[in-house]
Amino acid sequence: MVTINDYEGGETAWCPGCGNFQILEALKRGLVNLKLEPHQVLFVSGIGQAGKLPHYLKSNLFNGLHGRSLPVATGAKIANHELTVIAIDGDGGGYGEGCNHLIHAIRRNINLTYLVHNNQVYGLTKGQTSPTSEKGFITKTTPEGNFLQPLNPIALAISLGATFVARGYSARISHLTKLIEEGIKHEGFALIDVLQPCVSFNRLKTYKWYNKRVYDLNEDKEYDTSDKTVAFSKAQEWGEKIPIGIIYTSEKSSYEKQISALKTAPLIKQKYSMAKMKQIIDGFVQ
Ligand SMILES: Cc1ncc(C[n+]2csc(CCOP(=O)(O)OP(=O)(O)O)c2C)c(N)n1
Ligand code: SF4
Ligand SMILES: [Mg+2]
């Protein structure tokens, strides 16, 4: 039987108190609850504090370029769609440098879980503004305060037709664990945006700030995740009250399900002919 210990990885290099520790814990708990063994899971990440997360787990890992986790995760899922593939980025990687990939992963509805550690700052490079930074946020590169409108990843994903859009808060570990489980079980692309306090470089978005505002969508009564209009209005809620939970879901066939070549077995288990491969490659050579 799989246990948390099976996922124990190397020593961490995050700052004490960082929300990333809570995300790591929620992720391990979710995988164990789903009875997934480390060899059944692949983590793909980019560069950043968030991108280090798979280093602290014992499982399959591909750590590539900043903002480029989704193309690698997509390729891996197509090569072996029996793998549970989890892509991980920060808000800079996911919503800035890699935002183009996010748009097309949503459009394809590839069966991946995408965890974005949203600390609203570039943590690894020591505190510049990110696409989700609030207006007025003062950093070394914005000494007069950030004057750009923050990107709203939840509204963006819903508008693009994403089939699973959720927001978690790192300090609510049990709640986040459940979101991760649901995201993994979802047959299609699952975006989980996680509010993650960066205790070193974001002195605006502290635990205290979030604790006062964050509420569970299912707090009073069961929230209907299929109503797009309500989901859109929830996506706009930010300030005094911030909803967490599964904000929107819909059904659409996943990318892999529509590829006829994958119907019999994962690509890696299919036979191939070297002679035929050579013939194809030779076709490109004079
Ligand atoms: C292609 C490329 N562009 C830029 C960088 C520099 N860089 C590394 S991490 C980073 C920002 C990290 O912020 P985020 O993605 O939000 O992750 P965090 O560290 O906050 O978790 C940047 C700009 C890089 N390593 N590679
Ligand atoms: S700089 Fe921020 S995001 Fe990075 S480890 Fe420290 S607290 Fe966490
Ligand atoms: Mg960040």
Side-chain angles (χ1 to χ4, degrees):
M1 200 183 72
V2 63
T3 67
I4 290 265
N5 286 342
D6 295 322
Y7 278 101
E8 283 318 326
E11 238 178 80
T12 54
W14 288 322
C15 311
C18 175
N20 285 334
F21 288 105
Q22 300 159 334
I23 303 177
L24 177 62
E25 179 61 26
L27 187 55
K28 286 192 279 194
R29 287 190 200 174
L31 292 164
V32 169
N33 291 345
L34 292 175
K35 299 186 173 47
L36 282 164
E37 308 253 354
H39 72 271
Q40 297 174 297
V41 187
L42 167 69
F43 294 93
V44 184
S45 67
I47 303 300
Q49 299 287 19
K52 291 185 199 165
L53 183 141
H55 301 186
Y56 310 141
L57 283 167
K58 199 165 74 195
S59 189
N60 300 300
L61 149 70
F62 188 105
N63 193 173
L65 300 173
H66 187 236
R68 305 288 178 237
S69 69
L70 286 175
V72 176
T74 300
K77 187 71 186 180
I78 293 169
N80 183 4
H81 63 270
E82 283 176 354
L83 263 184
T84 293
V85 182
I86 301 176
I88 296 173
D89 273 315
D91 43 321
Y95 303 144
E97 199 141 1
C99 200
N100 49 343
H101 301 305
L102 173 62
I103 290 169
H104 294 287
I106 290 175
R107 194 165 71 86
R108 295 185 181 111
N109 198 32
I110 180 110
N111 190 2
L112 307 172
T113 306
Y114 191 34
L115 269 181
V116 183
H117 300 207
N118 188 353
N119 54 14
Q120 300 176 22
V121 72
Y122 283 0
L124 188 77
T125 46
K126 301 197 186 303
Q128 302 80 11
T129 54
S130 84
T132 51
S133 295
E134 289 284 343
K135 269 190 166 178
F137 185 39
I138 294 172
T139 69
K140 279 171 244 166
T141 49
T142 53
E144 294 175 8
N146 175 35
F147 52 81
L148 296 179
Q149 177 81 20
L151 181 139
N152 181 336
I154 305 290
L156 176 75
I158 297 170
S159 73
L160 290 169
T163 55
F164 185 104
V165 185
R167 181 195 281 132
Y169 169 37
S170 65
R172 299 255 191 120
I173 299 180
S174 303
H175 183 271
L176 180 59
T177 302
K178 193 84 200 122
L179 289 185
I180 293 171
E181 286 173 35
E182 293 304 318
I184 292 174
K185 284 195 284 184
H186 176 72
E187 288 220 5
F189 186 77
L191 170 68
I192 307 177
D193 178 77
V194 188
L195 304 173
Q196 175 245 317
C198 167
V199 294
S200 297
F201 297 110
N202 194 335
R203 303 296 166 95
L204 288 180
K205 299 301 165 59
T206 58
Y207 287 103
K208 199 169 156 201
W209 193 92
Y210 282 123
N211 289 343
K212 270 204 280 190
R213 293 164 167 86
V214 162
Y215 75 96
D216 182 350
L217 276 171
N218 290 299
E219 220 160 59
D220 297 328
K221 61 180 173 76
E222 208 179 321
Y223 171 82
D224 177 6
T225 63
S226 68
D227 189 328
K228 202 169 190 175
T229 312
V230 172
F232 244 120
S233 75
K234 287 293 168 195
Q236 311 302 325
E237 217 175 289
W238 184 267
E240 288 310 301
K241 290 187 83 196
I242 301 173
I244 56 168
I246 302 174
I247 298 175
Y248 183 65
T249 55
S250 64
E251 276 183 39
K252 214 189 277 176
S253 194
S254 68
Y255 186 72
E256 322 82 80
K257 283 232 165 101
Q258 298 176 77
I259 301 178
S260 57
L262 303 183
K263 291 228 178 342
T264 46
L267 277 188
I268 56 149
K269 290 187 180 166
Q270 293 186 32
K271 285 205 176 98
Y272 65 93
S273 145
M274 268 319 276
K276 208 165 176 187
M277 285 261 283
K278 193 174 176 311
Q279 206 182 1
I280 293 169
I281 293 166
D282 285 348
F284 293 100
V285 185
Q286 301 291 0

